[in-house]
């Protein structure tokens, strides 16, 4: 093929989340090389998430893709608590989607939720014969709701020809859930180590001062949305216990819904026993995550389910923070050698935080030394090869 490979990515919508960060990073990176031409179709133009309304055009991922020259089409819909079902698409939307599928050589679906569109096109007899890969980013597919059935059906019919998982645990979990595609690949996550890097003492002092955090205070950071999957209640209970032992410590929570403006967050804080005397900074959505990671001594993850290859752990590690996580997805494999894995109870988490702070210099040095294997360039190269491989496999199958 002498012209660029044309790739269409399907998004449920543009809103905060690690999977969208990662996939958008891949698309932006691949679109720069000239060998592939990328386009995005978002099934929604805004999202109601975690007690806030988020416009797609205001999203960092949306803007970055546009800056990279990626054309983005959106349907005039609002993403809510559940994904769009196949029967909800209009004839106009299906016709538009069918035209975009026809123009593409390969179609990628960001997670399984957008596959409702593939199912709808197939039912309407409008689905062109194109290789379609579902890019999967969780280790508990049963929490995908009806989207798991759409993926299972589409893979069973041959409409979805491949899965690309971000973790070994993800690939295994979906196979066990009955997803059988012609091809299954695993591509480990990678990050931009130029953005996520340790800060100088001057930088750290400036950033901390802006948040009212003393230069010498221990800082524990949770970067996650306000969602049961992330279990913010467990983090807050650990904070309540740890703060009694280390009253000078500061705790930073950032992500959609992690703010005092969210009544559910306020209620959970009170229920968890985190009083007003605790140095808790609930910052909500932030666009300065590299800076926040640089001031953290610990990047924490207290997730209960659903994680595959959590970006916050490697972003924090590359910035010099020590990852401390519950045993979810491939988290233990990801941080092997420079982080700590803990049981899902506050006493175990507090013990792990205490250990991490006591051994901070050695663990920080190990985390910084691992930056090379965390870099995004390897991930983008792997996706480049996978997309070319999908097209070749489809041609051979014909």
């Amino acid at each position: 093929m002498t012209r660029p490979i044309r790739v269409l990515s399907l998004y449920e919508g543009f809103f905060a989340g690690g999977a969208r960060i990662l996939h958008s990073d891949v698309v932006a990176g691949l679109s720069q090389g000239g060998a592939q031409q990328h386009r995005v179709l978002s099934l929604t133009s805004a999202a109601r998430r975690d007690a806030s309304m988020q416009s797609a055009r205001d999203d960092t991922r949306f803007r970055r893709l546009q800056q990279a020259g990626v054309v983005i089409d959106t349907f005039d819909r609002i993403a809510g608590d559940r994904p769009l079902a196949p029967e909800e698409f209009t004839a106009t939307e299906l016709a538009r989607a069918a035209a975009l599928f026809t123009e593409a050589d390969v179609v990628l679906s960001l997670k399984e939720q957008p596959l409702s569109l593939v199912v709808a096109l197939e039912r309407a007899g409008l689905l062109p014969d194109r290789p379609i890969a579902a890019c999967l980013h969780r280790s508990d597919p049963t929490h995908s709701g009806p989207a798991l059935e759409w993926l299972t059906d589409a893979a069973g019919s041959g409409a979805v020809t491949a899965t690309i998982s971000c973790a070994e645990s993800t690939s295994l979990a979906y196979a066990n859930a009955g997803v059988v595609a012609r091809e299954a690949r695993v591509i480990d996550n990678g990050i931009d180590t130029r953005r996520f890097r340790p800060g100088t003492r001057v930088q750290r002092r400036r950033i901390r001062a802006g948040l009212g955090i003393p230069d010498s205070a221990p800082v524990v950071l949770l970067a996650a949305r306000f969602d049961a999957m992330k279990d913010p209640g467990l983090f807050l209970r650990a904070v309540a216990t740890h703060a009694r032992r280390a009253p000078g410590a500061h705790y930073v929570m950032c992500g959609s819904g992690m703010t005092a403006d969210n009544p559910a967050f306020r209620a959970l804080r009170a229920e968890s026993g985190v009083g007003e005397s605790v140095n808790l900074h609930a910052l909500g959505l932030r666009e300065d995550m590299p800076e926040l990671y640089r001031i953290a001594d610990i990047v924490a993850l207290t997730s209960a389910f659903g994680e595959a290859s959590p970006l916050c752990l490697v972003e924090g590690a590359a910035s010099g923070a020590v990852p401390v996580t519950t045993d979810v997805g491939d988290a233990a494999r990801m941080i092997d050698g420079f982080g700590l894995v803990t049981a899902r109870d506050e006493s175990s988490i507090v013990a792990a935080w205490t250990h991490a702070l006591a051994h901070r210099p050695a663990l920080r040095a190990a985390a910084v030394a691992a930056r090379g294997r965390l870099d995004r360039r390897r991930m983008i190269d792997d996706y480049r090869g996978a997309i070319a491989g999908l097209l070749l496999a489809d041609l051979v199958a014909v």
Side-chain angles (χ1 to χ4, degrees):
M1 181 177 291
T2 56
R3 61 169 174 77
I5 298 174
R6 297 174 299 202
V7 184
L8 175 68
S9 283
L10 306 178
Y11 283 44
E12 180 186 3
F14 282 90
F15 39 84
R20 280 157 193 78
I21 293 172
L22 181 140
H23 194 89
S24 300
D25 204 21
V26 168
V27 170
L30 291 176
S31 66
Q32 303 302 305
Q36 296 181 5
Q37 182 179 20
H38 285 257
R39 187 167 190 158
V40 169
L41 171 60
S42 173
L43 306 190
T44 58
S45 57
R48 186 177 291 109
R49 301 269 292 184
D50 308 318
S52 65
M53 179 71 78
Q54 304 167 23
S55 169
R57 293 186 176 277
D58 294 335
D59 184 81
T60 303
R61 276 63 56 181
F62 189 102
R63 295 198 301 266
R64 185 175 178 216
L65 287 173
Q66 283 196 323
Q67 290 167 2
V70 177
V71 176
I72 303 174
D73 297 272
T74 64
F75 290 158
D76 188 19
R77 291 178 175 271
I78 297 175
D81 295 331
R82 61 175 182 81
L84 286 166
E87 59 272 15
E88 295 182 67
F89 293 101
T90 67
T92 300
E93 290 169 337
L94 292 180
R96 178 59 178 153
L100 292 175
F101 274 58
T102 300
E103 293 172 4
D105 299 306
V106 176
V107 177
L108 304 178
S109 174
L110 171 54
K111 306 195 346 183
E112 57 271 44
Q113 285 77 11
L115 291 175
S116 60
L117 177 61
V118 173
V119 172
L121 289 170
E122 191 172 28
R123 289 177 181 175
L126 296 173
L127 183 65
D129 185 12
R130 298 290 186 272
I132 300 174
C135 301
L136 305 174
H137 295 272
R138 62 170 69 224
S139 60
D140 191 348
T142 61
H143 285 82
S144 299
L148 175 60
E149 183 178 350
W150 302 334
L151 171 57
T152 303
D153 290 350
S157 71
V160 169
T161 56
T163 60
I164 302 176
S165 301
C166 71
E168 294 172 1
S169 57
T170 297
S171 186
L172 179 61
Y174 279 88
N176 290 339
V179 177
V180 181
R182 191 169 68 200
E183 185 178 359
R185 294 175 179 252
V186 176
I187 298 178
D188 284 337
N189 287 347
I191 61 169
D192 187 349
T193 54
R194 295 169 300 180
R195 292 185 65 227
F196 297 100
R197 64 185 189 278
T200 65
R201 288 184 180 179
V202 172
Q203 288 174 328
R204 285 166 57 86
R205 188 176 297 116
R206 173 184 57 78
I207 300 165
R208 283 177 172 235
L211 295 172
I213 300 175
D215 189 45
S216 60
V219 174
V220 181
L221 168 68
L222 176 68
R225 66 184 184 275
F226 188 76
D227 186 275
M229 170 182 160
K230 304 294 184 178
D231 204 345
L234 176 57
F235 177 82
L236 287 167
R237 293 194 299 275
V239 166
T241 300
H242 189 262
R244 289 193 291 270
R245 301 182 186 179
H250 284 245
Y251 309 91
V252 177
M253 302 179 74
C254 53
S256 180
M258 295 291 199
T259 170
D261 292 338
N262 179 1
F265 177 87
R266 292 199 306 271
L268 189 60
R269 172 176 179 164
E271 177 187 317
S272 303
V274 180
E276 293 302 320
S277 63
V278 175
N279 301 311
L280 181 67
H281 308 261
L283 304 181
L285 276 172
R286 300 285 292 206
E287 301 295 342
D288 58 347
M289 285 311 301
E291 290 199 341
L292 294 179
Y293 284 127
R294 285 176 198 137
I295 66 167
D297 297 292
I298 292 171
V299 56
L301 188 69
T302 53
S303 293
F305 60 86
E307 298 284 6
S309 181
L311 285 177
C312 64
L313 297 178
V314 292
E315 289 172 346
S319 306
V322 178
V324 179
T325 179
T326 48
D327 190 6
V328 287
D330 278 25
R333 179 175 68 87
M334 291 166 53
I335 66 169
D336 184 38
F338 57 84
L340 303 175
V341 180
T342 175
R344 290 199 64 260
D345 63 84
E346 50 263 41
S347 60
S348 297
I349 292 169
V350 168
W353 290 355
T354 302
H355 179 89
L357 291 172
H359 297 83
R360 171 106 167 89
L363 289 170
R364 173 184 167 87
V368 172
R371 284 167 48 82
R373 69 180 171 93
L374 306 178
D375 192 81
R376 66 194 279 271
R377 286 170 290 188
R378 180 268 315 152
M379 174 186 67
I380 291 173
D381 286 343
D382 287 348
Y383 264 95
R384 182 180 293 108
I387 290 169
L390 289 170
L391 185 57
L392 178 61
D394 196 63
L395 293 173
V396 171
V398 174

